[in-house]
Amino acid sequence: MLKNFCKSTPFLLIGLVLVMTNLANKQTPRFEANTLRINLGCEPPSLDWAKATDAASFDVVSNIMIGLTSYANDLSCRPACAESWQILDHGKHYIFHLRPNIRWSDGKPLTAYDFQYAWRRLLDPKTAAPYAFFLYDIENAFAYNQGKLKDANELGIRAINESTFEVRLSRPIAYFLYLTAFCPTYPQRQDIIERYSNNWTDPGHLVCNGPFILTKWQHEYKIELTANPSYYAAKPSLKTIKMFMIPEQSTAFALYENNQLDFIDNRSLPTSEIDRYRKSGCNEYRDIALLRVSYLGFNIEKKPFDNVKVRRALSLAIDRERVCRILRHGEKPIANLIPPPLLGHSDFSTEQSYNPKLARNLLAQAGYPEGKNFPQTFLLYPHREDTRLLVEVMQDELKRNLNIHVDLLNQEWQVYLQTLRNNTPPIYRYAWGADYPDPDTFMNLFTSHNGNNNTHWSNKTYDQLVSLAGCEANPVKRATLYKQADYLLCKQDVPIIPVNTAAQNMLIKPWVHGIIPNALDLQFFSSVGIGD
Amino acid sequence: MSKLIIKRILIMLPLLWLIATLTFFLLRVLPGGPFDAEKNLPPEIIANLKAKYHMDRTLPEQYYIYLQRVVKGDLGISYKYLDRSVNDILASALPVSLTLGIAALFLAIIIGVPLGIVAATKKGTAIDAMCIICSTLGVSLPSFVIGALLIFVFGIWLKLLPVALWESAWHVILPAFTLASGPTAYLARLTRSSVIDALSKDWVRTAQIKGEPYLQTVINHALRNALIPIITVLGPLSAILITGSFVVETIYAIPGMGRFFITAVSNRDYDLVIGTTLIFALLLIIANTIVDILYHILDPRITISD
């Protein structure tokens, strides 16, 4: 009898496991009612929107706050706290009229003084707000932020009365309205910040005016938002948003597959799984091209890249379509810096951007026929898996089409950033994402005095074109000016080679409705619903 | 015993000062700083940030400011997590790592030590071979492989345990087993060799000749003597386990302290790096002091003044 029992034990164990598995499967609900579960990927460094600069913080702030304006689905500016505005003095003077029915989550009415306080605080050098420079075009803002001007009343920022907010600019800037939809310019409450000091962003202290309120913040783990009953517009159908901070991509992906996350994006979606979902025919996969351009930059002071013919040759030797096919992440090829659909962008054409024969001719004219005697050089890139694949494809393209060998060198992220700024390598890989949906966010990057222009390239005509375009109110004229500048940058002088635009890849569970992705990669959940 | 504790405290203070000083200056030698970001900020903004965090002062001044804070028990501020102090960050992360670490330590002891005893007493048999294979696998397989395997089997395939996160007691099981795998295997190997060594001693043979049952001999005579090297290892092992593991906390999305040992360095979050280093050093000193006291309890021939 004992023998029989011993023999049957493995079968009993297997049976037990199967029963438990079945029970476990039945007990786990697919979704939580009226709750959206997403992954932020990391802890938001700050929920003080005057100091925040990163995507995780903006993902939270964008759902608990609204500014003077907000983005429509097509990324145009629509009224939010301000129901209307006047633009006077050829674009140098803005007057915003606030809605009368907007209240903070503690019931107090929102006033123009909350905007005045927030904008002045953003520019106050004591706040040390990284994004204060976005308001440098406001009268006296630069001097005030530098500490040279002490009186905040001299700033071109003023609450005329409780419902009217006035901004005076030192020069007209065509994209100024976009800044009023940008998180750092959202209103703030002086009494709350002064009462709670550094802890004012804790749940229970933080007051907000958006569709959700912050109810829980377990650091490095989870943030919970709940619907704001005081929100002025249509109440969100979600009751709760759980934002986890799962750093490991494969863990977040396993949680999605186990129905413990409802929506994931690049932060949680391994490249190897994208193809599987794409080909599976299910409706969970979506992607969108982002306003983020990946490019190779040259240090034009280092040989042989001080020769414009060499730079042009390298640009023409890269088959960007092949690069995107290999990357398999939904990237789109680009040969100009302004990505579509922004004003002034140029449509991509392989015929115009990829010409190995012409590239070899240019290289020969520069003194390196068939790549002979081309000096030893290297391409620096940050230590990241997705970047490594891209630069390896570049290396291959240059070898294949120009017979030149470029060494690849990687560095840890912070070391890489310092090397770029202090001793720019001959070639480096970089990417730039838009802060607002306007070509200025890209084109300003390569003006002579921009701190992010690591190429050492300086061109007065380019500076002038970008400056003129920034102030130009007529969209047709603006587009022409940007196209001229873009041609100068990417076709004539070529201090950089734009390669591709990035894409956001998403998986959305079938019970999640109303997620509308946008090219700025801002996530708004006020119109999202959960249910079969 | 009180003499030992006082002596250790007296050694501990200059030791912690030395560690804090070395870490402070070594970090400043590293290329890159806390305000380097993908989007380079204008020099005016960097100047404001540096002024706010006293980084516009000379290095000795910064060091003096830091020491003044540390003496008062303030480990400084985080440059990455704005408006959060290092004390706040560690106070919320350490209890999580402590819970997980104690669970893993408990598992490692209750599995590793008996496994080692069984292997030693059945030396040369199939059971011994099995124990050796298990412990070799435990030592050689990295925790990210074991973690992924456990997640796949128990989380995704059988759906018996949570895949990740830190919500209930059920969520502790898989990470605790992952964290315990290496130490369990190590303890098993150590116990095996120590018990085999002890079993060959004269006093064990005497006890057996006197007619004491074998199991009793092993526990009373062999194991007690074999515990000395095990306890020696458990000191630093406890400190390592309760300060968390970067890999385990990352793959199971656990908000512990272990991940700061890596992320704080890559973010150049200077004060947080020193804070985590000091906490680790402090726990290591405490664990070693407890080990010294346990030596005396296990073997009264060892005097704690040694």
Side-chain angles (χ1 to χ4, degrees), chain B residues 160-207:
Chain B
L160 288 176
L161 289 166
V163 167
L165 303 181
W166 192 250
E167 303 273 312
S168 67
W170 292 103
H171 290 79
V172 185
I173 298 172
L174 287 187
F177 270 98
T178 311
L179 189 59
S181 61
T184 305
Y186 186 58
L187 279 182
R189 290 166 72 92
L190 194 67
T191 309
R192 181 183 175 275
S193 57
S194 303
V195 170
I196 287 173
D197 186 43
L199 282 173
S200 66
K201 299 287 186 212
D202 289 344
W203 66 79
V204 174
R205 217 172 307 144
T206 311

Side-chain angles (χ1 to χ4, degrees), chain A residues 159-231:
Chain A
I160 295 171
N161 54 43
E162 292 216 327
S163 61
T164 317
F165 181 58
E166 178 191 51
V167 180
R168 287 182 180 275
L169 303 177
S170 52
R171 64 174 187 130
I173 47 173
Y175 52 89
F176 176 72
L177 270 186
Y178 288 128
L179 300 183
T180 62
F182 190 40
C183 288
T185 64
Y186 291 170
Q188 293 190 320
R189 278 271 294 278
Q190 186 171 3
D191 57 332
I192 297 288
I193 293 173
E194 286 176 354
R195 191 189 311 161
Y196 297 112
S197 183
N198 285 346
N199 298 323
W200 79 268
T201 54
D202 288 351
H205 299 169
L206 190 145
V207 293
C208 42
N209 67 353
F212 297 94
I213 51 177
L214 176 75
T215 43
K216 203 180 212 180
W217 188 358
Q218 290 171 268
H219 291 288
E220 297 284 335
Y221 182 63
K222 183 172 65 173
I223 275 179
E224 275 189 29
L225 308 181
T226 50
N228 178 5
S230 311
Y231 185 48

Side-chain angles (χ1 to χ4, degrees), chain A residues 246 248-256, chain B residues 151 163-165 250-253:
Chain A
I246 306 161
E248 178 58 31
Q249 216 178 28
S250 53
T251 304
F253 182 69
L255 286 168
Y256 177 82
Chain B
I151 288 175
V163 167
L165 303 181
T250 303
I251 58 175
Y252 287 101

Side-chain angles (χ1 to χ4, degrees), chain B residues 32-260:
Chain B
F35 308 126
D36 288 330
E38 186 176 23
K39 294 185 175 178
N40 202 8
L41 298 167
E44 299 78 22
I45 301 280
I46 296 285
N48 288 340
L49 283 164
K50 284 189 170 172
K52 181 170 179 174
Y53 295 108
H54 307 296
M55 286 176 69
D56 53 344
R57 312 273 184 93
T58 62
L59 204 56
E61 280 176 330
Q62 290 178 42
Y63 177 62
Y64 179 67
I65 292 168
Y66 183 75
L67 279 190
Q68 270 186 325
R69 277 193 189 146
V70 172
V71 167
K72 290 175 197 158
D74 177 0
L75 292 173
I77 37 157
S78 169
Y79 304 98
K80 168 81 176 171
Y81 306 109
L82 306 175
D83 299 333
R84 285 192 77 200
S85 69
V86 173
N87 292 39
D88 274 352
I89 293 172
L90 295 181
S92 67
L94 189 59
V96 176
S97 290
L98 198 69
T99 310
L100 185 60
I102 287 172
L105 196 64
F106 177 71
L107 284 176
I109 293 170
I110 63 155
I111 299 171
V113 174
L115 206 66
I117 296 170
V118 170
T121 53
K122 304 281 180 190
K123 190 186 162 197
T125 65
I127 296 173
D128 182 25
M130 279 297 292
C131 291
I132 290 174
I133 290 170
C134 286
S135 60
T136 310
L137 278 176
V139 169
S140 34
L141 281 177
S143 51
F144 61 85
V145 174
I146 293 177
L149 206 67
L150 291 178
I151 288 175
F152 178 72
V153 175
F154 294 99
I156 297 173
W157 185 38
L158 297 174
K159 293 190 191 298
L160 288 176
L161 289 166
V163 167
L165 303 181
W166 192 250
E167 303 273 312
S168 67
W170 292 103
H171 290 79
V172 185
I173 298 172
L174 287 187
F177 270 98
T178 311
L179 189 59
S181 61
T184 305
Y186 186 58
L187 279 182
R189 290 166 72 92
L190 194 67
T191 309
R192 181 183 175 275
S193 57
S194 303
V195 170
I196 287 173
D197 186 43
L199 282 173
S200 66
K201 299 287 186 212
D202 289 344
W203 66 79
V204 174
R205 217 172 307 144
T206 311
Q208 278 189 286
I209 290 166
K210 279 174 154 181
E212 196 182 38
Y214 185 64
L215 189 66
Q216 219 174 314
T217 313
V218 171
I219 292 169
N220 288 346
H221 300 285
L223 183 63
R224 184 162 180 159
N225 285 287
L227 276 178
I228 299 288
I230 298 169
I231 295 289
T232 311
V233 171
L234 278 177
L237 194 64
S238 320
I240 292 168
L241 288 179
I242 61 182
T243 47
S245 148
F246 173 76
V247 175
V248 173
E249 287 174 9
T250 303
I251 58 175
Y252 287 101
I254 294 168
M257 187 180 141
R259 61 173 86 167
F260 291 127

Side-chain angles (χ1 to χ4, degrees), chain B residues 13-39:
Chain B
L13 293 174
L15 196 62
L16 289 177
W17 167 77
L18 188 69
I19 290 167
T21 306
L22 275 176
T23 319
F24 181 91
F25 287 104
L26 282 174
L27 278 168
R28 263 64 180 185
V29 175
L30 269 182
F35 308 126
D36 288 330
E38 186 176 23
K39 294 185 175 178

Side-chain angles (χ1 to χ4, degrees), chain B residues 284-305:
Chain B
L284 197 62
I285 293 167
I286 292 170
N288 280 336
T289 308
I290 294 170
V291 165
D292 284 352
I293 294 166
L294 285 177
Y295 277 161
H296 177 67
I297 294 167
L298 283 170
D299 188 349
R301 288 173 303 175
I302 301 170
T303 52
I304 49 176
S305 58

